[in-house]
Amino acid sequence: MFTYHMPTKITAGENAVKNSPAELILGSKAIIVTGKTSGKRSGALNDAVSVLDEHSIPYMIYDKVENNPSIESTAEGGAAAREFGADFIIAIGGGSPLDAAKAIAVYAANTPGDDFKLYDIFTGSYKNKPLPMTAIPTTAGTGSEVTPYSILTLHREQTKKSFSSPEVFFKTAFLDGRYIAELPLQTARNTAVDALSHLIEGFTNKNSSPSSDYIALEGLRVLGNNISILKDGRPPAELCTDFLWAATLGGMVIAQTGTTIVHSMGYPLTYHKNIPHGMANGLLLGEYMRRADLEMPWKTDLYLEALGMDSIDEVCALLKALLPCDTVFTEEELTEWTKTSIKAKNVRSCPFDVTRELEINMYKKCLL
């Protein structure tokens, strides 16, 4: 028995936003959630604003979303949305603005106070439904446009933490390759590896199903046809929508399965060492693949075939080429980080038994 739920309506192709105003406009007053630069640089913000102006929809822009958004900034965004009277959200950017928008949607409809404390979002302890949202991704990695997850920085625990609710799926999403065509090369690499990580983690996950496996293998085929291009430079414009589609397929997969310890072990690298999320995943993915292979070698064969690669070693060589990292780690800090990572829910999703000692050994093999 298995289930499949992915309620987001996707519109893909050049000028998707301008050509589909009914899918963008989900209410009468909008708050646009974005970062300082990603929406403007990509052209996505201009496209969204032009549609709103054309249809006389009032809007405000909340562009205070940090890389790795904090719970505090999302609560601030929710307060701004309430004050403005917004009744829907347009999220524009990479994983950070899209994840932040989900939390802002909750805080916009639920005032943190006596009946809803700032951190209750992680337990789903809110009364009112979040605002409806549409997503315009400007990176090809997180797949947040089709997941019910929001990953937020939690300073009091010195890590990142996710909340999940079917109510924070985006209603609609737009995939337009033009928005990622001018990404910095290393950002394009990091985000592509993030998508790769989602597809492999979902495919090897204890929660996988025939439907999620089918989607994962398709995503791996699309990504496998293109990812090696990133060793030499940014992808040509005609392939950019393929990268976005692969990332969206990865999001569809983990929306059903969740992630694994690759993600929970990667969060401290981002929080403490400022390593981008996709790169953090990629630094740990090789050792995860080797351990998963011991439990399900038939799945290894299938995902390698989809990627067009012959071995895990070949995947690891590609990861090494795409992710130059000179960060220095110490055994003491790696051991300390496992105190938090071992408590993550996705520990139980791995195809192998996970102990704190195993996590310490994985960290050492990957990072020392």
Side-chain angles (χ1 to χ4, degrees), residues 62-82:
Y62 182 77
D63 62 359
K64 298 181 180 180
V65 177
E66 323 97 310
N67 287 330
N68 309 303
S70 66
I71 194 170
E72 291 81 9
S73 68
T74 58
E76 178 185 330
R82 287 195 306 275

Side-chain angles (χ1 to χ4, degrees), residues 95-110:
S96 291
L98 269 57
D99 280 11
K102 296 172 185 178
I104 289 171
V106 174
Y107 285 123
N110 298 271

